[in-house]
Amino acid sequence: GDPYYGDHTAMIDNQGQVWTFGNNQFGQLGLRDMIERLIPTMIPNFKNIAQISCGGNHTAMIDDKGQVWTFGRNLYGQLGDSTQNFKLTPGLIPSMLSKDVMQVSCGSVFTAIIDNVGQIWTCGDNTDNQLGLNGQRNVLTPTLIPNFKKVAQISCGESHAAFLV
């Protein structure tokens, strides 16, 4: 796990706008800075978010077009953007643009994604084999877990993932 856990929360209102608050040490609130917020603060310019998930120090969300946006800490590649640079504002995962994503779930320092045909894609830390990718470490872009299709739901914990077929 990550020794730098940031306690943060993200919510979506009935307009699809995202509100975040809590620790912001790595920009995991998506508010262009690293200032802690004690009350919910809206991320500007996002009105069509369908789902959101908070990790240890990163956040991932899906818009109504099935695109994945990530922000916050990225030491292990958990933002899926092929870098290990943290982001203060939401950025798209380029490799997932054509996948029509249905669900995203963040673990402490990894991210799992289900596409529209029920395949699972994972990125980030794999120290405990939580990515399902046979011992690879620090996967910087979402990588397909082979032999799983028609997965309906996924949920990530600190360093594990469970899914429903």
Side-chain angles (χ1 to χ4, degrees), residues 61-70 79-81 87 91-102 113 115-116 121 141-142:
M61 56 190 190
I62 302 170
D63 66 21
D64 62 352
K65 295 176 184 155
Q67 300 176 107
V68 185
W69 300 80
T70 57
L79 299 186
D81 64 358
K87 284 186 193 168
L92 284 168
I93 297 180
S95 66
M96 297 304 292
L97 286 176
S98 64
K99 302 293 186 224
D100 191 17
V101 171
M102 305 304 288
I113 298 166
D115 68 17
N116 66 338
W121 302 77
T141 58

Side-chain angles (χ1 to χ4, degrees), residues 12 16 18 46-53 59-71 92-93 100-105 111-115 154:
I12 304 170
V18 177
F46 284 91
K47 294 183 180 168
N48 299 304
I49 300 303
Q51 198 237 323
I52 196 160
S53 181
T59 309
M61 56 190 190
I62 302 170
D63 66 21
D64 62 352
K65 295 176 184 155
Q67 300 176 107
V68 185
W69 300 80
T70 57
F71 46 99
L92 284 168
I93 297 180
D100 191 17
V101 171
M102 305 304 288
Q103 187 188 357
V104 64
S105 183
T111 304
I113 298 166
I114 300 176
D115 68 17
I154 193 158

Side-chain angles (χ1 to χ4, degrees), residues 1-33:
D2 191 330
Y4 299 102
Y5 286 113
D7 302 317
H8 73 290
T9 301
M11 307 176 293
I12 304 170
D13 68 17
N14 61 2
Q15 306 292 312
Q17 298 176 116
V18 177
W19 299 76
T20 58
F21 60 100
N23 187 306
N24 196 24
Q25 184 178 3
F26 299 99
Q28 62 265 43
L29 299 184
L31 298 170
R32 296 187 170 101
D33 59 39

